[in-house]
Amino acid sequence: MLNTSIIGASGYTGAELAAMVLKHPHLQLAGLYVSENSLDAGKAISELHGQLRGRVDLPLQPLTDTAAVVNTSDIVLLATAHEVSHELAPIFLEAGCQVFDLSGAFRVKSDDFYTQYYGFAHQYAQWLDEAVYGLAEWNSDAIRQAQFVAVPGCYPTAAQLALKPLLAAGLLDTQQWPVINAVSGVSGAGRKASMANSFCEVSLQAYGVFNHRHQPEISAHLGTDVIFTPHLGNFKRGILATITARLAAGVTPEAVSEAMSAAYHQPGEQAVRLLGHQAARLQDVVNTCFCDIGWQVQGQHVILTSAIDNLLKGASSQAMQCINIRNGFAPLTALVG
Amino acid sequence: MLNTSIIGASGYTGAELAAMVLKHPHLQLAGLYVSENSLDAGKAISELHGQLRGRVDLPLQPLTDTAAVVNTSDIVLLATAHEVSHELAPIFLEAGCQVFDLSGAFRVKSDDFYTQYYGFAHQYAQWLDEAVYGLAEWNSDAIRQAQFVAVPGCYPTAAQLALKPLLAAGLLDTQQWPVINAVSGVSGAGRKASMANSFCEVSLQAYGVFNHRHQPEISAHLGTDVIFTPHLGNFKRGILATITARLAAGVTPEAVSEAMSAAYHQPGEQAVRLLGHQAARLQDVVNTCFCDIGWQVQGQHVILTSAIDNLLKGASSQAMQCINIRNGFAPLTALVG
Amino acid sequence: MLNTSIIGASGYTGAELAAMVLKHPHLQLAGLYVSENSLDAGKAISELHGQLRGRVDLPLQPLTDTAAVVNTSDIVLLATAHEVSHELAPIFLEAGCQVFDLSGAFRVKSDDFYTQYYGFAHQYAQWLDEAVYGLAEWNSDAIRQAQFVAVPGCYPTAAQLALKPLLAAGLLDTQQWPVINAVSGVSGAGRKASMANSFCEVSLQAYGVFNHRHQPEISAHLGTDVIFTPHLGNFKRGILATITARLAAGVTPEAVSEAMSAAYHQPGEQAVRLLGHQAARLQDVVNTCFCDIGWQVQGQHVILTSAIDNLLKGASSQAMQCINIRNGFAPLTALVG
Amino acid sequence: MLNTSIIGASGYTGAELAAMVLKHPHLQLAGLYVSENSLDAGKAISELHGQLRGRVDLPLQPLTDTAAVVNTSDIVLLATAHEVSHELAPIFLEAGCQVFDLSGAFRVKSDDFYTQYYGFAHQYAQWLDEAVYGLAEWNSDAIRQAQFVAVPGCYPTAAQLALKPLLAAGLLDTQQWPVINAVSGVSGAGRKASMANSFCEVSLQAYGVFNHRHQPEISAHLGTDVIFTPHLGNFKRGILATITARLAAGVTPEAVSEAMSAAYHQPGEQAVRLLGHQAARLQDVVNTCFCDIGWQVQGQHVILTSAIDNLLKGASSQAMQCINIRNGFAPLTALVG
């Protein structure tokens, strides 16, 4: 049994992680932590997340002493703000823990990126270099060796899982940038009070046009420019991405289908479900670890639809896939069945 | 044309009032005000309430000088917090304005009530005494004479409009307290950021069990004890009240129907629509000024359903009915058609 | 391993049952059936219920031959229409299968009831007599011996779990009938096309006032008259019941709390979570097998709130609790963790 | 007063039209019609559309005799199925009525189009030629002269109002086809029972990928190829379109803004509200006649967001704009204020 601690356990992602660790046959919940001055410190996690009542009633402890976490943890999950992960990850890594960071602090191997998109100067070039990008279906070899995994963002997961097979097979004409439109549920904004998240203010709308931080994350890891437009939707969970791209000259519909099938040919090992020419539907993936992908080709264009649960495949269940891969467990342990 | 100012114009009710005054053939919008230190001061109301864009783009002015309001206003609408109305109403009244207060500060003629339910000691016994309760279909004679109207709360409007005809006709056995269950949309909590209003946290649930301030408001104005249980619903607007009451011995279904019809026999003048044995449906009243009421009798019990838009008949359109009645306009002016 | 077949597997409840059987360590999915002339016959269940894709892709077989089911099944789950269960249950029972019927066809031990509320004359008085009412937390002794379990309705489950502790302890004055108001998600109406279920027509409203078939089911099993008013809510899953009842003379708040705690003192064995004076919240129980119950006392009245997932504790997970109890498995096997 | 009849008055669009005609100072409601064998024939329109209760309680008459309509109507509004409009429009036109058709039967001047996308061979080439496309902000000169107006589709309205200013000013590089992603509320599918519209089945998803009939409508009237992907959203009303296009070489952000401002410089006469660099928000346009448009430029790309109420600017209020323009009334009569 590997002892597992969750830092930032008061949020929606933290609650999902706690439930997964509990279900996992090889993991044991070592501790749930919140920041030192959080108003939630001392409460049971189930006070905040009523669905956990009677299942996970552990207290949220204030993170006053990282050494105490180190002493009791083989694995540390960081479900913390970017700046907090940036400070904490090196501490737990240097103490020898496996660290799975769900924030954006170590996802892109470029210092400038953090100054421009996250508003802080990155201080840990070495750990940034060491971090393995945890897109589970594509980086499993590296993840298997990693002490430190930067779990991808929610939109980047949905977008890359759809586009990578076509790019890897050289089927796209990237002179025309793929256009990624995506709609996320409100939980993507985290558990907090704000006017933007206020029930009466939520309404389908684009945001972060041309300047969302997930655009460079997607571009960096795809190795091609993209146009990415996120939207807020009037639902709690899930992301649907609709992607329009131009095919390279002479690419047939069959070639597209073959590339998709080749990339995701291990259903029990991979959390991707291929829909063929059907369009992905949000409701089929919510509360599951799956990414559903459908596609259609017409003339020189392909349209892909890709759906995930933003809190699961877009965060916590992908982190768990990485833990499973790193530690030699079946990749979908605690995630299906 | 009567000059009309709205204090507290940044909220959902304020926005509705502004749109109504604009449509009104005999009212003119004199000014929109917010509290002196509001972050919204200086913004156009349509920046906050996008649906008003191009229709009402007036600025929200900080209320620094009540005299300026007095000088430009025949009518003052208070869509302010209870404590703020408590302070402001007397000022505008003494200056001779007609005041229509949408808060709870002057609805119940009992000092104790305010200490217990609103957390402040009432300072204006005389104005409290003077205030006419603006339940438009029932108090029109008094409203016609009033300088000062306390517009009823949202739940009390839905509940009283259904129960008053039966109580007035002596058809209920009030030894058994009527049971009022009601569900309100989230806009009832006002325009503000809070965890309780946060999109992902909203879920059907009861609140204020046995201690909501609208329970004594209902009881006081009905003249009988009631059990009132409010609920938060996962929708933006509207209230549905379901009321179970015991009939006095020998009361027939026909007597109930006759009492309802007698109370609301002037469709064009009253904002109540009788549904007979059909149940009221939220969607039929949202964005209208109407209260829909249905009822069924079985044995000694009657079940009534009563639906309103909480921001309209539960607040702003009822205020407008009162203005219309007070000033000799057709009661539903600016509200229908 | 007990072979388990699901009849009526195309509906929402059928899909939940299939997922549960799959997770169960001691059950094996023997077959999924739909009616002989169903348009869904031959499709994979995951074509209808996309969330099952890659997990349960078995075909929905037309039920042409009950003998084939009998030969392959130790347990038969009937998620069928009332009339269909009425015909099928006796066949499977006489063949020696354990039968768990989720319809209303065998819940109330009165012939008249079926004529009046279900529109057919009951033909199987003996099986009606034999059927054990599967309210798992209250009837486990009888369930343990039963060949035939009539799983309670969704509303009756929410209502009875809240009221039974108080009635059993003699704390209520039932001269005044308890008033049960409940709101159900749209999935309660089943998987079918109808104007009433059409997205644009759904809006909070009461229905079945004074004549819903769950009212006599509740009354019969509580042994007392009640007033029950169901409502349709604008959400997919879940039921919230708010219950107002009169306490017997002299009953204290403490006595109420003690009765609740005494009834549900085995958290790991029972699917009830007590909230004390907090109100139940729909979102905490959706996608769980739990019934959350809160209560408050004031003077002579108690208000209880009770929340369940209508498709789980209100149908499929309660059926699974009954299977577990009947077969000596831990009651919440395949339901939690 | 112009006598106005509505054919197909039982649907969501019909109900909106009826309410608008009622509010219009120069129109009079002559009759509400449904197809001869409709189950709704004989009912009051307010039985189907409860929000109209007490405002429009006229009966839905079976359309048995077109001559009777002709005799009582100056204006005929067709809110009918495409095939029905195709048959009816010529009849009313030949009788001399003004006809405003909200179906797709006369929008595109190509016979083939109807065979391919609507499944019927067009029989009325002359009337197809005569029909004026009712995109009110762009075709007012032609509308002013027209006897017959084909009111644009909902998606085409949102898309064209955003793209036309840039195309008209020659600012786009149409070698790269503009990518239009749009999400519509469920009312876009009409008032009917179907599994796809069933509350529990609605979930954000793309549909009609590469083959929705609104794609050729958009292309034909823009004069350029586009990629159009419609989506179903989990809300009742509204369309949000997000459009990504490539600018011609050297086009500046200022040039884009100027083109938008030049196209929509008459706020009181046009139902377009320009948001500048803000993104359009569904909630601001629902229940209004407006199209909100925002835009952003980066490098060689522009992203536009365009929001309308699909039942109003996407259907009925645009029809009313056309009536107003045709008959010399202020264009937004009965639509604002």
Side-chain angles (χ1 to χ4, degrees), chain D residues 237-262:
Chain D
R237 299 172 73 131
I239 284 180
L240 180 72
T242 301
I243 304 169
T244 308
R246 191 171 168 89
L247 296 170
V251 171
T252 63
E254 291 70 32
V256 169
S257 294
E258 278 160 28
M260 299 304 291
S261 299

Side-chain angles (χ1 to χ4, degrees), chain A residues 81-106:
Chain A
H82 313 293
E83 297 80 356
V84 176
S85 283
H86 175 252
E87 292 310 321
L88 289 179
I91 296 172
F92 293 117
L93 288 164
E94 277 153 28
C97 298
Q98 290 178 24
V99 174
F100 298 81
D101 177 21
L102 287 87
S103 88
F106 292 89

Side-chain angles (χ1 to χ4, degrees), chain C residues 70-135:
Chain C
V70 166
N71 290 338
T72 56
S73 310
D74 304 298
I75 295 172
V76 175
L77 279 155
L78 297 176
T80 33
H82 313 293
E83 298 79 356
V84 177
S85 282
H86 175 251
E87 292 310 319
L88 289 179
I91 296 172
F92 294 117
L93 287 164
E94 277 152 29
C97 299
Q98 292 178 25
V99 175
F100 298 83
D101 177 21
L102 288 86
S103 89
F106 293 89
R107 288 182 193 147
V108 173
K109 299 195 184 312
S110 147
D111 296 359
D112 288 359
F113 170 74
Y114 294 95
T115 320
Q116 184 177 353
Y117 284 97
Y118 285 84
F120 63 85
H122 210 289
Q123 306 294 322
Y124 304 99
Q126 192 191 334
W127 285 117
L128 186 55
D129 191 54
E130 195 106 337
V132 167
Y133 190 64
L135 193 66

